[in-house]
mmCIF file of all heavy atoms in Angstrom:
data_model
loop_
_atom_site.group_PDB
_atom_site.id
_atom_site.type_symbol
_atom_site.label_atom_id
_atom_site.label_comp_id
_atom_site.label_asym_id
_atom_site.label_seq_id
_atom_site.Cartn_x
_atom_site.Cartn_y
_atom_site.Cartn_z
ATOM 1 N N HIS A 711 -74.126 -15.811 -89.739
ATOM 2 C CA HIS A 711 -74.225 -14.980 -90.935
ATOM 3 C C HIS A 711 -74.406 -15.839 -92.186
ATOM 4 O O HIS A 711 -73.958 -16.971 -92.240
ATOM 5 C CB HIS A 711 -72.944 -14.171 -91.131
ATOM 6 C CG HIS A 711 -72.643 -13.180 -90.051
ATOM 7 N ND1 HIS A 711 -72.971 -11.841 -90.154
ATOM 8 C CD2 HIS A 711 -72.030 -13.328 -88.856
ATOM 9 C CE1 HIS A 711 -72.552 -11.202 -89.073
ATOM 10 N NE2 HIS A 711 -71.981 -12.085 -88.253
ATOM 11 N N GLN A 715 -71.215 -15.069 -102.751
ATOM 12 C CA GLN A 715 -70.152 -14.691 -103.682
ATOM 13 C C GLN A 715 -70.524 -15.166 -105.069
ATOM 14 O O GLN A 715 -70.572 -16.375 -105.322
ATOM 15 C CB GLN A 715 -68.817 -15.283 -103.240
ATOM 16 C CG GLN A 715 -67.631 -14.827 -104.057
ATOM 17 C CD GLN A 715 -66.317 -15.274 -103.448
ATOM 18 O OE1 GLN A 715 -66.197 -16.358 -102.892
ATOM 19 N NE2 GLN A 715 -65.306 -14.418 -103.534
ATOM 20 N N GLY A 720 -66.615 -10.539 -105.676
ATOM 21 C CA GLY A 720 -66.236 -10.410 -104.275
ATOM 22 C C GLY A 720 -67.295 -10.935 -103.324
ATOM 23 O O GLY A 720 -68.339 -11.450 -103.725
ATOM 24 N N LEU A 721 -66.988 -10.794 -102.041
ATOM 25 C CA LEU A 721 -67.897 -11.242 -100.995
ATOM 26 C C LEU A 721 -68.983 -10.201 -100.758
ATOM 27 O O LEU A 721 -68.718 -8.998 -100.749
ATOM 28 C CB LEU A 721 -67.112 -11.454 -99.696
ATOM 29 C CG LEU A 721 -65.958 -12.446 -99.759
ATOM 30 C CD1 LEU A 721 -65.127 -12.374 -98.485
ATOM 31 C CD2 LEU A 721 -66.494 -13.857 -99.963
ATOM 32 N N TRP A 723 -72.023 -9.535 -97.943
ATOM 33 C CA TRP A 723 -72.751 -9.893 -96.734
ATOM 34 C C TRP A 723 -74.238 -9.861 -97.029
ATOM 35 O O TRP A 723 -74.751 -8.916 -97.644
ATOM 36 C CB TRP A 723 -72.403 -8.933 -95.599
ATOM 37 C CG TRP A 723 -73.150 -9.221 -94.352
ATOM 38 C CD1 TRP A 723 -72.847 -10.160 -93.403
ATOM 39 C CD2 TRP A 723 -74.352 -8.588 -93.917
ATOM 40 N NE1 TRP A 723 -73.786 -10.142 -92.404
ATOM 41 C CE2 TRP A 723 -74.725 -9.191 -92.688
ATOM 42 C CE3 TRP A 723 -75.164 -7.574 -94.430
ATOM 43 C CZ2 TRP A 723 -75.859 -8.806 -91.986
ATOM 44 C CZ3 TRP A 723 -76.289 -7.188 -93.739
ATOM 45 C CH2 TRP A 723 -76.627 -7.813 -92.521
ATOM 46 N N VAL A 726 -77.722 -11.674 -91.051
ATOM 47 C CA VAL A 726 -77.232 -12.197 -89.779
ATOM 48 C C VAL A 726 -78.412 -12.401 -88.830
ATOM 49 O O VAL A 726 -79.401 -11.664 -88.886
ATOM 50 C CB VAL A 726 -76.186 -11.256 -89.138
ATOM 51 C CG1 VAL A 726 -76.799 -9.909 -88.799
ATOM 52 C CG2 VAL A 726 -75.568 -11.888 -87.890
ATOM 53 N N TYR A 734 -81.037 -9.167 -89.322
ATOM 54 C CA TYR A 734 -80.670 -8.016 -90.136
ATOM 55 C C TYR A 734 -80.382 -8.511 -91.551
ATOM 56 O O TYR A 734 -79.933 -9.640 -91.741
ATOM 57 C CB TYR A 734 -79.431 -7.316 -89.571
ATOM 58 C CG TYR A 734 -79.608 -6.845 -88.150
ATOM 59 C CD1 TYR A 734 -79.367 -7.699 -87.084
ATOM 60 C CD2 TYR A 734 -80.040 -5.553 -87.880
ATOM 61 C CE1 TYR A 734 -79.544 -7.290 -85.776
ATOM 62 C CE2 TYR A 734 -80.211 -5.124 -86.574
ATOM 63 C CZ TYR A 734 -79.964 -6.001 -85.530
ATOM 64 O OH TYR A 734 -80.139 -5.586 -84.242
ATOM 65 N N TYR A 735 -80.627 -7.631 -92.528
ATOM 66 C CA TYR A 735 -80.476 -8.002 -93.927
ATOM 67 C C TYR A 735 -79.774 -6.894 -94.711
ATOM 68 O O TYR A 735 -79.892 -5.715 -94.376
ATOM 69 C CB TYR A 735 -81.839 -8.253 -94.565
ATOM 70 C CG TYR A 735 -82.637 -9.346 -93.870
ATOM 71 C CD1 TYR A 735 -83.516 -9.047 -92.838
ATOM 72 C CD2 TYR A 735 -82.496 -10.682 -94.257
ATOM 73 C CE1 TYR A 735 -84.230 -10.033 -92.203
ATOM 74 C CE2 TYR A 735 -83.211 -11.682 -93.621
ATOM 75 C CZ TYR A 735 -84.078 -11.346 -92.591
ATOM 76 O OH TYR A 735 -84.789 -12.337 -91.953
ATOM 77 N N ASP A 778 -63.602 -10.599 -78.516
ATOM 78 C CA ASP A 778 -62.501 -11.545 -78.360
ATOM 79 C C ASP A 778 -62.364 -11.939 -76.889
ATOM 80 O O ASP A 778 -63.136 -11.492 -76.040
ATOM 81 C CB ASP A 778 -61.198 -10.980 -78.944
ATOM 82 C CG ASP A 778 -60.638 -9.795 -78.167
ATOM 83 O OD1 ASP A 778 -61.146 -9.485 -77.060
ATOM 84 O OD2 ASP A 778 -59.677 -9.182 -78.666
ATOM 85 N N TYR A 783 -64.188 -5.683 -78.919
ATOM 86 C CA TYR A 783 -65.076 -6.003 -80.032
ATOM 87 C C TYR A 783 -64.256 -6.458 -81.238
ATOM 88 O O TYR A 783 -63.275 -5.824 -81.607
ATOM 89 C CB TYR A 783 -65.939 -4.795 -80.419
ATOM 90 C CG TYR A 783 -66.880 -5.158 -81.535
ATOM 91 C CD1 TYR A 783 -68.049 -5.867 -81.281
ATOM 92 C CD2 TYR A 783 -66.560 -4.878 -82.855
ATOM 93 C CE1 TYR A 783 -68.891 -6.259 -82.302
ATOM 94 C CE2 TYR A 783 -67.391 -5.265 -83.882
ATOM 95 C CZ TYR A 783 -68.558 -5.955 -83.599
ATOM 96 O OH TYR A 783 -69.368 -6.354 -84.623
ATOM 97 N N SER A 784 -64.665 -7.553 -81.861
ATOM 98 C CA SER A 784 -63.970 -8.023 -83.061
ATOM 99 C C SER A 784 -64.910 -8.090 -84.256
ATOM 100 O O SER A 784 -64.549 -7.653 -85.332
ATOM 101 C CB SER A 784 -63.323 -9.394 -82.821
ATOM 102 O OG SER A 784 -64.307 -10.416 -82.760
ATOM 103 N N GLY A 785 -66.051 -8.679 -84.085
ATOM 104 C CA GLY A 785 -67.003 -8.789 -85.189
ATOM 105 C C GLY A 785 -66.541 -9.725 -86.287
ATOM 106 O O GLY A 785 -67.023 -9.636 -87.412
ATOM 107 N N VAL A 786 -65.635 -10.640 -85.969
ATOM 108 C CA VAL A 786 -65.117 -11.513 -87.019
ATOM 109 C C VAL A 786 -66.083 -12.636 -87.331
ATOM 110 O O VAL A 786 -66.900 -13.031 -86.508
ATOM 111 C CB VAL A 786 -63.737 -12.099 -86.660
ATOM 112 C CG1 VAL A 786 -62.729 -11.014 -86.411
ATOM 113 C CG2 VAL A 786 -63.836 -13.064 -85.494
ATOM 114 N N MET A 787 -65.942 -13.119 -88.551
ATOM 115 C CA MET A 787 -66.576 -14.379 -88.944
ATOM 116 C C MET A 787 -65.440 -15.395 -88.910
ATOM 117 O O MET A 787 -64.621 -15.429 -89.836
ATOM 118 C CB MET A 787 -67.192 -14.243 -90.323
ATOM 119 C CG MET A 787 -68.276 -13.189 -90.382
ATOM 120 S SD MET A 787 -68.898 -12.988 -92.067
ATOM 121 C CE MET A 787 -69.771 -11.437 -91.908
ATOM 122 N N TRP A 790 -66.234 -20.719 -91.368
ATOM 123 C CA TRP A 790 -67.079 -20.679 -92.546
ATOM 124 C C TRP A 790 -67.321 -22.103 -93.047
ATOM 125 O O TRP A 790 -66.459 -22.967 -92.914
ATOM 126 C CB TRP A 790 -66.408 -19.895 -93.672
ATOM 127 C CG TRP A 790 -66.108 -18.460 -93.382
ATOM 128 C CD1 TRP A 790 -65.299 -17.958 -92.405
ATOM 129 C CD2 TRP A 790 -66.599 -17.334 -94.111
ATOM 130 N NE1 TRP A 790 -65.259 -16.576 -92.478
ATOM 131 C CE2 TRP A 790 -66.041 -16.165 -93.516
ATOM 132 C CE3 TRP A 790 -67.433 -17.169 -95.211
ATOM 133 C CZ2 TRP A 790 -66.321 -14.882 -93.989
ATOM 134 C CZ3 TRP A 790 -67.701 -15.892 -95.685
ATOM 135 C CH2 TRP A 790 -67.145 -14.757 -95.069
ATOM 136 N N GLY A 791 -68.475 -22.294 -93.671
ATOM 137 C CA GLY A 791 -68.680 -23.537 -94.393
ATOM 138 C C GLY A 791 -68.034 -23.449 -95.762
ATOM 139 O O GLY A 791 -67.370 -22.450 -96.089
ATOM 140 N N TYR B 883 -63.159 -0.248 -86.555
ATOM 141 C CA TYR B 883 -64.029 -1.396 -86.802
ATOM 142 C C TYR B 883 -63.783 -1.967 -88.198
ATOM 143 O O TYR B 883 -64.645 -1.888 -89.099
ATOM 144 C CB TYR B 883 -65.489 -1.017 -86.605
ATOM 145 C CG TYR B 883 -65.809 -0.686 -85.172
ATOM 146 C CD1 TYR B 883 -65.822 0.633 -84.718
ATOM 147 C CD2 TYR B 883 -66.091 -1.697 -84.249
ATOM 148 C CE1 TYR B 883 -66.106 0.934 -83.397
ATOM 149 C CE2 TYR B 883 -66.383 -1.407 -82.930
ATOM 150 C CZ TYR B 883 -66.383 -0.082 -82.516
ATOM 151 O OH TYR B 883 -66.666 0.215 -81.205
ATOM 152 N N ASN B 885 -61.928 -5.335 -90.329
ATOM 153 C CA ASN B 885 -61.299 -6.659 -90.339
ATOM 154 C C ASN B 885 -60.741 -6.953 -91.724
ATOM 155 O O ASN B 885 -61.203 -6.383 -92.723
ATOM 156 C CB ASN B 885 -62.309 -7.741 -89.958
ATOM 157 C CG ASN B 885 -62.909 -7.538 -88.575
ATOM 158 O OD1 ASN B 885 -62.313 -6.881 -87.711
ATOM 159 N ND2 ASN B 885 -64.085 -8.107 -88.351
ATOM 160 N N TYR B 887 -59.680 -10.267 -94.374
ATOM 161 C CA TYR B 887 -59.824 -11.684 -94.682
ATOM 162 C C TYR B 887 -58.961 -12.029 -95.889
ATOM 163 O O TYR B 887 -58.741 -11.197 -96.772
ATOM 164 C CB TYR B 887 -61.276 -12.038 -95.006
ATOM 165 C CG TYR B 887 -62.223 -11.906 -93.842
ATOM 166 C CD1 TYR B 887 -62.731 -10.666 -93.478
ATOM 167 C CD2 TYR B 887 -62.599 -13.017 -93.094
ATOM 168 C CE1 TYR B 887 -63.586 -10.532 -92.406
ATOM 169 C CE2 TYR B 887 -63.470 -12.897 -92.017
ATOM 170 C CZ TYR B 887 -63.949 -11.652 -91.677
ATOM 171 O OH TYR B 887 -64.800 -11.523 -90.613
ATOM 172 N N GLN B 889 -58.791 -14.978 -98.974
ATOM 173 C CA GLN B 889 -59.520 -16.067 -99.633
ATOM 174 C C GLN B 889 -58.681 -16.638 -100.771
ATOM 175 O O GLN B 889 -58.244 -15.903 -101.659
ATOM 176 C CB GLN B 889 -60.869 -15.596 -100.173
ATOM 177 C CG GLN B 889 -61.719 -16.748 -100.717
ATOM 178 C CD GLN B 889 -63.039 -16.291 -101.292
ATOM 179 O OE1 GLN B 889 -63.166 -15.195 -101.820
ATOM 180 N NE2 GLN B 889 -64.056 -17.158 -101.182
ATOM 181 N N LYS B 893 -61.881 -21.765 -101.967
ATOM 182 C CA LYS B 893 -61.930 -21.925 -100.512
ATOM 183 C C LYS B 893 -62.755 -20.821 -99.871
ATOM 184 O O LYS B 893 -62.966 -19.767 -100.453
ATOM 185 C CB LYS B 893 -60.515 -21.900 -99.924
ATOM 186 C CG LYS B 893 -59.598 -22.989 -100.454
ATOM 187 C CD LYS B 893 -60.057 -24.364 -100.005
ATOM 188 C CE LYS B 893 -59.057 -25.432 -100.413
ATOM 189 N NZ LYS B 893 -59.528 -26.790 -99.994
ATOM 190 N N ALA B 894 -63.191 -21.084 -98.640
ATOM 191 C CA ALA B 894 -63.884 -20.055 -97.864
ATOM 192 C C ALA B 894 -62.875 -19.032 -97.352
ATOM 193 O O ALA B 894 -61.697 -19.336 -97.203
ATOM 194 C CB ALA B 894 -64.636 -20.698 -96.710
ATOM 195 N N PRO B 895 -63.338 -17.832 -97.075
ATOM 196 C CA PRO B 895 -62.438 -16.817 -96.509
ATOM 197 C C PRO B 895 -61.945 -17.208 -95.117
ATOM 198 O O PRO B 895 -62.567 -17.982 -94.406
ATOM 199 C CB PRO B 895 -63.316 -15.571 -96.442
ATOM 200 C CG PRO B 895 -64.398 -15.803 -97.436
ATOM 201 C CD PRO B 895 -64.655 -17.285 -97.386
ATOM 202 N N TYR B 900 -58.421 -8.345 -86.978
ATOM 203 C CA TYR B 900 -59.644 -7.687 -86.578
ATOM 204 C C TYR B 900 -59.330 -6.415 -85.803
ATOM 205 O O TYR B 900 -58.194 -6.205 -85.361
ATOM 206 C CB TYR B 900 -60.549 -8.636 -85.768
ATOM 207 C CG TYR B 900 -60.007 -9.076 -84.420
ATOM 208 C CD1 TYR B 900 -60.270 -8.359 -83.260
ATOM 209 C CD2 TYR B 900 -59.258 -10.254 -84.318
ATOM 210 C CE1 TYR B 900 -59.795 -8.781 -82.041
ATOM 211 C CE2 TYR B 900 -58.773 -10.681 -83.095
ATOM 212 C CZ TYR B 900 -59.054 -9.948 -81.955
ATOM 213 O OH TYR B 900 -58.580 -10.372 -80.732
ATOM 214 N N TYR B 938 -59.743 -9.200 -98.593
ATOM 215 C CA TYR B 938 -60.927 -8.364 -98.443
ATOM 216 C C TYR B 938 -60.886 -7.643 -97.097
ATOM 217 O O TYR B 938 -60.584 -8.261 -96.072
ATOM 218 C CB TYR B 938 -62.206 -9.202 -98.483
ATOM 219 C CG TYR B 938 -62.469 -9.900 -99.785
ATOM 220 C CD1 TYR B 938 -62.026 -11.195 -100.013
ATOM 221 C CD2 TYR B 938 -63.189 -9.265 -100.800
ATOM 222 C CE1 TYR B 938 -62.273 -11.841 -101.214
ATOM 223 C CE2 TYR B 938 -63.449 -9.909 -102.005
ATOM 224 C CZ TYR B 938 -62.982 -11.187 -102.196
ATOM 225 O OH TYR B 938 -63.234 -11.825 -103.389
ATOM 226 N N GLN B 940 -63.391 -5.601 -94.332
ATOM 227 C CA GLN B 940 -64.790 -5.714 -93.892
ATOM 228 C C GLN B 940 -65.003 -4.702 -92.775
ATOM 229 O O GLN B 940 -64.275 -4.718 -91.784
ATOM 230 C CB GLN B 940 -65.059 -7.126 -93.362
ATOM 231 C CG GLN B 940 -66.404 -7.325 -92.708
ATOM 232 C CD GLN B 940 -66.387 -8.388 -91.623
ATOM 233 O OE1 GLN B 940 -65.350 -8.691 -91.046
ATOM 234 N NE2 GLN B 940 -67.533 -8.963 -91.348
ATOM 235 N N THR B 942 -67.098 -3.330 -89.627
ATOM 236 C CA THR B 942 -68.027 -3.844 -88.627
ATOM 237 C C THR B 942 -68.594 -2.700 -87.784
ATOM 238 O O THR B 942 -69.163 -2.947 -86.722
ATOM 239 C CB THR B 942 -67.327 -4.875 -87.725
ATOM 240 O OG1 THR B 942 -66.206 -4.250 -87.070
ATOM 241 C CG2 THR B 942 -66.828 -6.062 -88.527
ATOM 242 N N THR B 945 -72.279 -2.859 -86.974
ATOM 243 C CA THR B 945 -72.573 -4.182 -86.433
ATOM 244 C C THR B 945 -74.024 -4.317 -85.998
ATOM 245 O O THR B 945 -74.596 -3.385 -85.436
ATOM 246 C CB THR B 945 -71.641 -4.480 -85.252
ATOM 247 O OG1 THR B 945 -71.902 -5.784 -84.745
ATOM 248 C CG2 THR B 945 -71.871 -3.481 -84.105
ATOM 249 N N PRO B 946 -74.671 -5.473 -86.204
ATOM 250 C CA PRO B 946 -74.070 -6.676 -86.780
ATOM 251 C C PRO B 946 -74.193 -6.761 -88.298
ATOM 252 O O PRO B 946 -74.007 -7.815 -88.870
ATOM 253 C CB PRO B 946 -74.862 -7.793 -86.117
ATOM 254 C CG PRO B 946 -76.231 -7.206 -86.003
ATOM 255 C CD PRO B 946 -76.039 -5.740 -85.717
ATOM 256 N N GLN B 947 -74.549 -5.652 -88.934
ATOM 257 C CA GLN B 947 -74.586 -5.611 -90.395
ATOM 258 C C GLN B 947 -73.228 -5.177 -90.904
ATOM 259 O O GLN B 947 -72.689 -4.167 -90.447
ATOM 260 C CB GLN B 947 -75.659 -4.631 -90.862
ATOM 261 C CG GLN B 947 -77.054 -5.024 -90.453
ATOM 262 C CD GLN B 947 -78.049 -3.897 -90.651
ATOM 263 O OE1 GLN B 947 -78.202 -3.034 -89.808
ATOM 264 N NE2 GLN B 947 -78.713 -3.917 -91.794
ATOM 265 N N PHE B 948 -72.693 -5.918 -91.854
ATOM 266 C CA PHE B 948 -71.339 -5.672 -92.293
ATOM 267 C C PHE B 948 -71.279 -5.364 -93.788
ATOM 268 O O PHE B 948 -72.217 -5.632 -94.526
ATOM 269 C CB PHE B 948 -70.463 -6.906 -92.028
ATOM 270 C CG PHE B 948 -70.416 -7.311 -90.569
ATOM 271 C CD1 PHE B 948 -70.293 -8.647 -90.213
ATOM 272 C CD2 PHE B 948 -70.460 -6.365 -89.562
ATOM 273 C CE1 PHE B 948 -70.233 -9.022 -88.876
ATOM 274 C CE2 PHE B 948 -70.398 -6.736 -88.219
ATOM 275 C CZ PHE B 948 -70.283 -8.072 -87.893
ATOM 276 N N PHE B 950 -68.287 -5.673 -97.038
ATOM 277 C CA PHE B 950 -66.951 -6.042 -97.495
ATOM 278 C C PHE B 950 -66.460 -5.063 -98.555
ATOM 279 O O PHE B 950 -67.259 -4.493 -99.314
ATOM 280 C CB PHE B 950 -66.950 -7.442 -98.113
ATOM 281 C CG PHE B 950 -67.129 -8.554 -97.125
ATOM 282 C CD1 PHE B 950 -68.380 -9.091 -96.891
ATOM 283 C CD2 PHE B 950 -66.048 -9.063 -96.427
ATOM 284 C CE1 PHE B 950 -68.559 -10.122 -95.977
ATOM 285 C CE2 PHE B 950 -66.203 -10.094 -95.519
ATOM 286 C CZ PHE B 950 -67.476 -10.617 -95.283
#
Side-chain angles (χ1 to χ4, degrees):
Chain A
H711 296 263
Q715 186 171 36
L721 302 170
W723 178 82
V726 63
Y734 302 86
Y735 302 91
D778 68 9
Y783 182 79
S784 73
V786 301
M787 298 176 195
W790 299 61
Chain B
Y883 293 96
N885 300 336
Y887 293 81
Q889 187 182 31
K893 300 293 186 181
Y900 66 90
Y938 296 92
Q940 172 210 23
T942 59
T945 182
Q947 297 167 276
F948 301 147
F950 289 96

